[in-house]
Amino acid sequence: MAIQHYFWNQLSEAWTDKEYQKDEALQNRHYWLSFLKTGNLFDKITLSREQLAVVQRRDKFLMINGSAGSGKSITLLGRMFKVMAEEKREQRLLYVTFGQTLIEDARKRSNQSQLYRDLKDNHTVHLKTFHQMVRDILMEANLMTLNLLRVSIGSIGRREDNVYRRTEAYLAKFLASKEYASLPRTRQLYKTHMEGFIRDEIFWMKGNGFIEEDKYLSCERVGRGTSPRLTVEQRKTVFEIFQGYERFRSEHWPEDYDQEDYALLLLKYIDSIPEQLKYDHIFIDEVQDLQPMQLLALNLLGKKSITMTGDHKQRIYRRTPYSLKALGIEIEGNRSRKLKINFRSTKQIMKLARSISFLDTDNDKESDLDFVREGPKPEIRLYQDTPKMVAYIVNEIKKARVHDPNATVAIIHRYDTDEWKTRNSSIRLTLERDFNVIGVENYGKKFNHDQEKPPLFFTDAFSVKGLEFDYVFILHFDREHYPIKQKMDEIKKRHGGDTSSEGYYQDEDSIINEEKKVLYVALSRAREKVVMFCVGEKPPFLSPFIRDFQSRDYDNYGFNKTMFSR
């Protein structure tokens, strides 16, 4: 084995005892300690004492908390390497997260570790998205066949559009039926229950496992807002629609499951999965992005330990009434550890990001954080037309590449699920004249940085979670994209245009809170420099989120920041 070859070249002559040669576990232990002593678990990254202390813990459940850039994913991989080095027998290990891009990044980082390269053949190590894992394990156990589901913002949008069309088709049929007409008036739905409400309700029901009538009728609908109001009697009707939709989907698209179904299918077959296909140790990155039924399934699939990383300030997916404890995951007390040192962003970048105020989570106190680097203040720039903005971006990237030809750059937009705009926007087409513009699905690949047009990442804010870039340019920092106008319009529609009710204010606050987290994610991707852009004739077109910032914490261009000063 590679580990033995490396091991015997490194250890002193005093370690050539015959008894020692027979004890492979002891060899692995000393091999692990040789890395642990220096912190060099990766070729080019040295873990801090804080991170190594977390790596060394022996808890069945462990939550690694920390703000963006604190090295949570690296620490999580370090814990996986520790298991690989210390376990005497072959183990089944799963490193899992929501999106494909983060898995590609984890593979890249793992292969940058001599420790991992030497130990990986001793164990069965899977680095997969949750949906890939479910598909593979159910098929390997010969329980059922599932389509491969690659999770990205584009694929999520397409699948949600498919479900919208299916639910609307079934709903129209159901509402026109004699069965619905015969229902008591108290069970009939309002007009505001249409326009995507049923689709979102079905997503929420499946994600939280409320697929039995008694559970759905009695559950607390956390995360579903206050409007439109849904009475208990109307819930009975919604549950009938849910059952009908499931039959409708199964009859017409029997192999095309909704993405929320994957966790439910794993739970359905969990007792039939052979023990040898379950995992001894599970490592979950960005746990806040997984739905409750996904976490419950992982807990039941694990045998010895589950380690997770999380940051609630980066939670930009649906909310839930469940706690981790309710899912059988105990992380109270010392089983929850916080990393305080930020290795990614400069102090100036994170100071601005930390000034964003959230409704459901406190930001980190400055006294609780330690930064290893400082740099220029973030910038907010207002342009009256797009060409001038793009000209500035092109010039800045060229200057950065002169200073560092290998500098990584991300342009973060808010086209989100609109794939046509993502690929054909005037901004991207202009950038392609000077740069090799790609999406983050290629983040984990190797590039020839000496080529004429080194890669530049053009991506949405959702897809960059967990990734980092030297320079980040945030487009659409305006009142129509932060917060996203479509979501705000949907709230008004659900409230029948009444924007003065308490229910409307609650739902508006909820959307604004989620949108602020999207901005936090975008800002905290930057290592060296971050610039936010708005294209509009007057300063009021800037995002209202600018009012969360202290004016002294950013530089401005094209407007007088005293208009927004705090």
Side-chain angles (χ1 to χ4, degrees), residues 60-78:
K60 179 179 180 181
F61 296 115
L62 182 66
M63 170 68 82
I64 305 171
N65 293 299
S67 60
S70 58
K72 298 185 298 295
S73 298
I74 288 291
T75 307
L76 187 67
L77 286 172

Side-chain angles (χ1 to χ4, degrees), residues 499-518:
T499 60
S500 62
S501 67
E502 183 66 27
Y504 173 80
Y505 288 134
Q506 290 178 12
D507 289 350
E508 181 185 49
D509 285 345
S510 177
I511 294 298
I512 289 174
N513 194 56
E514 291 176 8
E515 287 290 289
K516 284 184 176 182
K517 290 182 179 182
V518 175

Side-chain angles (χ1 to χ4, degrees), residues 26-41:
L26 186 59
Q27 293 178 27
N28 288 355
R29 174 65 177 165
H30 281 134
Y31 179 70
W32 162 249
L33 290 175
S34 69
F35 279 92
L36 189 64
K37 185 176 180 180
T38 61
N40 296 328
L41 273 62

Side-chain angles (χ1 to χ4, degrees), residues 195-259:
E195 299 293 337
F197 172 83
I198 295 296
R199 175 203 63 182
D200 292 344
E201 189 76 356
I202 289 174
F203 284 158
W204 185 85
M205 291 166 68
K206 289 183 175 183
N208 289 285
F210 299 132
I211 57 173
E212 298 172 3
E213 187 172 16
D214 60 336
K215 289 184 178 180
Y216 177 61
L217 295 181
S218 61
C219 73
E220 184 182 358
R221 294 177 65 252
V222 173
R224 291 296 291 132
T226 63
S227 183
R229 182 168 170 266
L230 193 65
T231 67
V232 173
E233 288 298 300
Q234 288 172 328
R235 284 201 208 187
K236 294 177 182 178
T237 303
V238 170
F239 194 81
E240 283 188 31
I241 294 171
F242 165 72
Q243 289 180 311
Y245 166 75
E246 287 294 280
R247 291 191 297 270
F248 182 67
R249 184 205 57 76
S250 181
E251 290 168 4
H252 292 83
W253 304 276
E255 296 181 357
D256 190 12
Y257 288 91
D258 299 341
Q259 66 182 31

